[in-house]
């Protein structure tokens, strides 16, 4: 479908978010083998077309028609349920049903694949899906990560009871998942959880209130609770699987008290629940709940980073489309120097985020395959992504709204919704301060920085074979790592933690971008060079010391290199 351009108000509705973003396909060839590429390309094309058209329409409608909590039926009978708008339900059907986004990491059969697909396939599809709809991505990632955690730690009989429903692509049999952790007195301080678990008549019963529960009517929830008489702090917590409906068909003993009126993700229900002796099943060993829940949290954190990277790409796509198709003062916006600088910085930040999340997805694949070193690399990359990619999305989304101008502030366009949703990434699964401190914890307790240093060194050695020595990237990474190591081991320097984490993120992303450029050359991609230019832009704008009174002589050339190709692509995609 062609995008409509009415007079001087460009409208990108109907463009393919896959065709307008050729870098996505190039990166799939970097991270996937040829057979898997051939399998998933049609699905990426289909998702890109849907996200730019049908899914966007559904998402706009679902945002304007949020879910409602129904407590009683019209005859007064107890009928607690959440009413979801049909357009949200249609989004669910696409995500869970047609594309199997919560199933493909756990079993074969999705898209005809014999085995489960690599994580990056799921994340690339979510990267496209979220450019239309963010809210549903929370239930999607929680279902996905709950299944992973259950399989990893749960009793085989418990896994067998629910696995098929958790990975179903049939909306009639699908069980969605959720995670109930936050309490009024225990937000980021998980050790302060006071929900109690009591073993009564052969079953665990949960008592307490959970303060922020997204997807509260999910069929299954992972819940942290403290067994009666258990230790204080995180050491006393255990992990439980909470069914909405018990095997005998009775509704479990917990109530949804109300739904939250949120700033963003309005399409998806979040609420408060009261556990009133609800039956739950212990997952793994008692007292190991926090450690086990951390696996689910980390998968949700990575998913948050992917979503934020997708929102940044949507913002960049819109900004490029507008600047290419709108004129002011007799020129296209994209030809105006200040606009070119703004777009350059947006593209740099968005591509940083994409490289970080895609590379982390590949590290996850290797870690899950038994690579202990990659498990350590994953341990530090995940909070880095959650910290910086999610924060950057807020800025990029705001800048894209500004490119559109006054129309961007109007809710019938998607700019305002994207900006509202972008702010959530920095809050869910740990605020920026908490996650930056987790980076330091990974360095201090698990030697994760050393593993990352070794990994980056190896990537730069590979890069040198095609692009020559990347001395500047190596030097900046070494300085960032040195700072992070010092800050992590000196509590008096805790105030510097965010600066140190940002430096490691930026230097690592530059190494990933350069390595991707080298890999593209190795596989014979003729349109290489952009990702190395982006790596250099990261160094220039985010790591190098700059005199604010000295002109940047190279910026105009870099803008031409990155923007002119991008705008030509936008024209071809229309």
């Amino acid at each position: 479908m062609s995008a409509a351009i009415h007079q001087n108000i460009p409208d990108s509705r109907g463009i393919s978010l896959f065709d307008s973003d050729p870098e996505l396909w190039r990166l799939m060839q970097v991270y996937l083998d040829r057979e898997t590429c051939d399998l998933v390309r049609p699905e990426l094309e289909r998702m890109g077309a849907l996200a730019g058209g049908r899914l966007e329409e559904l998402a706009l409608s679902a945002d304007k028609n949020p879910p409602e909590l129904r407590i009683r039926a019209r005859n007064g009978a107890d009928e607690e349920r959440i009413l979801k708008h049909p357009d949200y339900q249609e989004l669910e059907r696409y995500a869970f049903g047609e594309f199997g986004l919560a199933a493909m990491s756990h079993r074969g059969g999705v898209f005809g694949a014999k085995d489960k697909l690599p994580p990056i396939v799921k994340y690339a599809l979510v990267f496209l899906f979220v450019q239309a709809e963010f809210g549903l991505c929370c239930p999607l990632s929680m279902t996905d990560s709950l299944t992973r955690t259950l399989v990893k730690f749960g009793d085989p009989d418990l896994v067998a009871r629910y696995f098929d429903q958790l990975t179903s692509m049939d909306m009639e049999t699908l069980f969605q998942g959720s995670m109930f952790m936050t309490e009024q007195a225990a937000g980021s301080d998980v050790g302060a959880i006071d929900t109690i678990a009591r073993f009564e008549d052969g079953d665990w019963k949960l008592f307490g209130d959970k303060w922020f529960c997204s997807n509260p009517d999910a069929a299954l929830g992972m819940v942290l609770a403290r067994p009666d008489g258990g230790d204080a702090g995180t050491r006393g917590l255990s992990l439980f699987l909470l069914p909405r409906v018990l095997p005998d068909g009775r509704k479990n003993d917990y109530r949804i008290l109300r739904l939250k009126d949120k700033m963003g993700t309005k399409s998806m229900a979040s609420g408060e629940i009261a556990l009133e002796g609800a039956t739950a099943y212990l997952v793994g060993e008692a007292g190991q709940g926090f450690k086990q829940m951390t696996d689910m949290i980390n998968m949700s954190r990575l998913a948050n980073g992917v979503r934020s990277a997708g929102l940044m790409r949507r913002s960049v796509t819109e900004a490029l489309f507008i600047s290419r198709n709108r004129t002011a003062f007799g020129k296209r916006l994209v030809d105006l120097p200040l606009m070119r600088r703004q777009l350059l910085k947006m593209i740099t930040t968005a591509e940083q985020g994409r490289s970080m999340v895609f590379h982390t997805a590949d590290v996850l694949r290797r870690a899950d395959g038994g690579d202990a070193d990659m498990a350590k690399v994953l341990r530090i990359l995940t909070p880095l992504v959650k910290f910086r990619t999610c924060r950057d999305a807020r800025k990029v989304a705001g800048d894209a709204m500004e490119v559109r101008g006054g129309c961007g502030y109007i809710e019938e366009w998607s700019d305002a919704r994207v900006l509202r949703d972008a702010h959530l990434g920095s809050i869910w699964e740990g605020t920026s301060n908490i996650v930056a401190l987790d980076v330091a914890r990974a360095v201090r307790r698990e030697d994760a920085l050393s593993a990352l240093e070794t990994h980056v060194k190896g990537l730069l050695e590979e890069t040198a074979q095609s692009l020559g020595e990347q001395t500047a990237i190596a030097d900046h990474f070494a300085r960032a790592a040195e700072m992070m190591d010092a800050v992590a081991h000196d509590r008096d320097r805790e105030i510097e933690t965010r600066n140190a984490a940002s430096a490691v993120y930026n230097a690592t992303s530059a190494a990933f971008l350069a390595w991707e450029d080298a890999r593209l050359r190795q596989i014979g991609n003729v349109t290489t060079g952009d990702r190395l230019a982006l790596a250099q832009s990261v160094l220039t704008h985010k790591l190098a010391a700059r005199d604010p009174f000295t002109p940047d002589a190279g910026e105009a050339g870099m803008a031409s290199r990155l923007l002119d190709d991008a705008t030509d692509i936008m024209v071809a995609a229309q």
Side-chain angles (χ1 to χ4, degrees):
M1 183 187 298
S2 298
I5 304 173
H6 178 65
Q7 296 180 359
N8 205 27
I9 304 175
D11 188 345
S12 64
R13 177 178 292 173
I15 69 167
S16 165
L17 297 180
F18 177 81
D19 292 343
S20 62
D21 179 20
E23 209 65 10
L24 176 58
W25 179 240
R26 292 175 191 156
L27 289 176
M28 290 300 96
Q29 296 171 78
V30 168
Y31 289 107
L32 291 172
D33 60 70
R34 180 169 296 178
E35 181 181 357
T36 308
C37 279
D38 291 343
L39 177 69
V40 302
R41 171 148 189 161
E43 305 304 329
L44 291 167
E45 291 176 337
R46 187 161 69 101
M47 180 69 87
L50 285 166
R54 175 62 175 156
L55 297 182
E56 169 76 356
E57 294 171 0
L58 294 170
L60 282 165
S61 173
D63 183 65
K64 299 296 185 296
N65 297 279
E68 299 177 8
L69 177 61
R70 176 74 55 81
I71 300 297
R72 287 185 171 185
R74 65 182 182 178
N75 64 355
D78 182 13
E79 191 189 48
E80 180 185 278
R81 62 192 179 103
I82 294 176
L83 303 179
K84 302 174 182 178
H85 192 270
D87 288 345
Y88 180 83
Q89 294 177 319
E90 183 70 353
L91 288 166
E92 288 180 308
R93 187 186 66 79
Y94 276 112
F96 287 100
E98 285 204 20
F99 286 93
L101 296 178
M104 66 175 61
S105 292
H106 308 289
R107 65 167 176 82
V110 180
F111 306 148
K114 294 180 181 179
D115 200 357
K116 55 188 179 183
L117 291 164
I120 198 169
V121 175
K122 170 183 64 188
Y123 290 130
L125 287 162
V126 170
F127 180 87
L128 288 168
F129 183 88
V130 76
Q131 293 183 51
E133 163 63 14
F134 186 105
L136 178 59
C137 288
C138 175
L140 194 61
S141 72
M142 288 195 296
T143 305
D144 179 38
S145 55
L146 181 147
T147 306
R148 172 189 170 92
T149 301
L150 179 62
V151 169
K152 192 170 184 178
F153 300 110
D155 181 271
D157 289 340
L158 187 61
V159 175
R161 183 186 304 175
Y162 292 116
F163 182 83
D164 287 346
Q165 290 156 307
L166 283 166
T167 60
S168 176
M169 295 170 65
D170 179 353
M171 300 307 294
E172 295 299 318
T173 60
L174 170 70
F175 272 21
Q176 291 189 30
S178 58
M179 176 171 58
F180 302 157
M181 186 168 64
T182 304
E183 299 180 8
Q184 290 191 52
S188 298
D189 185 6
V190 178
I193 282 176
D194 61 11
T195 294
I196 295 298
R198 297 181 185 138
F199 197 66
E200 300 177 351
D201 301 323
D203 290 317
W204 285 100
K205 305 288 186 178
L206 304 186
F207 301 85
D209 287 358
K210 293 295 183 179
W211 178 243
F212 204 106
C213 306
S214 290
N215 211 23
D217 63 337
L220 294 168
M222 282 291 185
V223 184
L224 279 179
R226 194 179 309 281
D228 234 351
D231 292 341
T234 57
R235 290 192 302 272
L237 297 174
S238 294
L239 184 61
F240 296 89
L241 185 70
L242 177 74
R244 178 72 169 149
V245 177
L246 297 172
D248 62 7
R250 289 183 296 116
K251 178 181 171 295
N252 207 349
D253 292 317
Y254 71 90
R255 291 182 296 126
I256 303 172
L257 301 177
R258 65 167 178 160
L259 299 186
K260 303 283 194 180
D261 185 8
K262 297 170 294 182
M263 170 181 164
T265 63
K266 290 180 175 293
S267 62
M268 183 269 301
S270 298
E272 302 163 22
I273 67 170
L275 299 158
E276 300 167 327
T279 300
Y281 310 112
L282 182 66
V283 177
E285 296 180 41
Q288 298 297 307
F290 178 70
K291 186 181 298 184
Q292 294 157 353
M293 180 67 105
T294 297
D295 186 77
M296 183 172 178
I297 293 170
N298 282 336
M299 290 303 98
S300 293
R301 284 178 171 176
L302 176 54
N304 249 320
V306 172
R307 296 195 290 265
S308 293
L311 291 181
M312 284 195 280
R313 180 61 218 183
R314 171 67 191 273
S315 299
V316 165
T317 296
E318 290 295 315
L320 287 171
F321 184 90
I322 295 158
S323 61
R324 182 66 177 78
N325 290 292
R326 188 174 183 183
T327 59
F329 313 110
K331 292 185 177 181
R332 299 181 309 166
L333 296 186
V334 75
D335 295 325
L336 300 173
L338 286 177
M339 180 60 73
R340 292 177 74 79
R341 187 171 198 271
Q342 183 171 343
L343 292 170
L344 170 63
K345 295 177 76 172
M346 290 172 63
I347 291 172
T348 298
T349 301
E351 291 303 321
Q352 271 189 283
R354 171 151 50 184
S355 286
M356 287 294 286
V357 299
F358 282 6
H359 199 95
T360 302
D362 195 56
V363 168
L364 170 63
R365 174 187 63 82
R366 296 166 65 181
D368 282 350
D371 190 324
D373 291 331
M374 287 300 101
K376 287 188 175 183
V377 174
L378 180 68
R379 175 64 184 90
I380 190 170
L381 284 180
T382 302
L384 280 173
V385 162
K386 172 62 173 67
F387 167 57
R388 192 70 262 166
T389 309
C390 293
R391 287 190 65 80
D392 286 346
R394 293 155 42 172
K395 177 68 164 60
V396 172
D399 284 352
M401 175 184 281
E402 190 173 289
V403 172
R404 194 182 294 280
C407 285
Y409 201 65
I410 306 303
E411 290 281 356
E412 63 186 325
W413 300 80
S414 283
D415 304 71
R417 178 169 55 91
V418 169
L419 181 60
R420 286 189 276 110
D421 290 347
H423 277 71
L424 191 55
S426 293
I427 298 175
W428 267 349
E429 326 301 3
T431 60
S432 298
N433 287 344
I434 293 298
V435 181
L437 289 169
D438 192 43
V439 175
R441 189 179 301 111
V443 174
R444 186 170 58 251
R445 296 183 181 177
E446 301 170 60
D447 199 28
L449 182 60
S450 296
L452 180 62
E453 289 179 285
T454 300
H455 182 57
V456 169
K457 180 181 178 182
L459 294 178
L460 291 178
E461 287 173 353
E462 291 181 34
T463 303
Q465 298 174 18
S466 299
L467 303 179
E469 296 288 338
Q470 299 299 311
T471 306
I473 296 175
D475 288 348
H476 279 94
F477 181 86
R479 292 186 66 192
E482 181 181 13
M483 180 186 184
M484 187 74 248
D485 189 61
V487 168
H489 289 94
D490 185 349
R491 293 301 177 90
D492 291 336
R493 296 183 65 179
E494 185 175 295
I495 197 171
E496 301 174 59
T497 305
R498 289 170 64 131
N499 288 343
S502 291
V504 173
Y505 175 93
N506 289 326
T508 301
S509 68
F512 290 174
L513 284 161
W515 176 81
E516 288 166 349
D517 198 297
R519 285 285 297 134
L520 285 167
R521 292 173 187 267
Q522 290 167 10
I523 63 178
N525 194 301
V526 295
T527 54
T528 54
D530 286 358
R531 302 200 79 71
L532 182 60
L534 287 163
Q536 294 165 346
S537 182
V538 170
L539 299 187
T540 299
H541 291 289
K542 304 197 176 188
L543 286 168
R546 300 180 67 196
D547 181 347
F549 302 108
T550 301
D552 186 343
E555 189 171 274
M558 187 174 294
S560 295
R561 181 174 186 175
L562 293 174
L563 289 175
D564 292 342
D565 285 346
T567 53
D568 289 344
I569 289 162
M570 293 303 299
V571 172
Q574 292 173 28

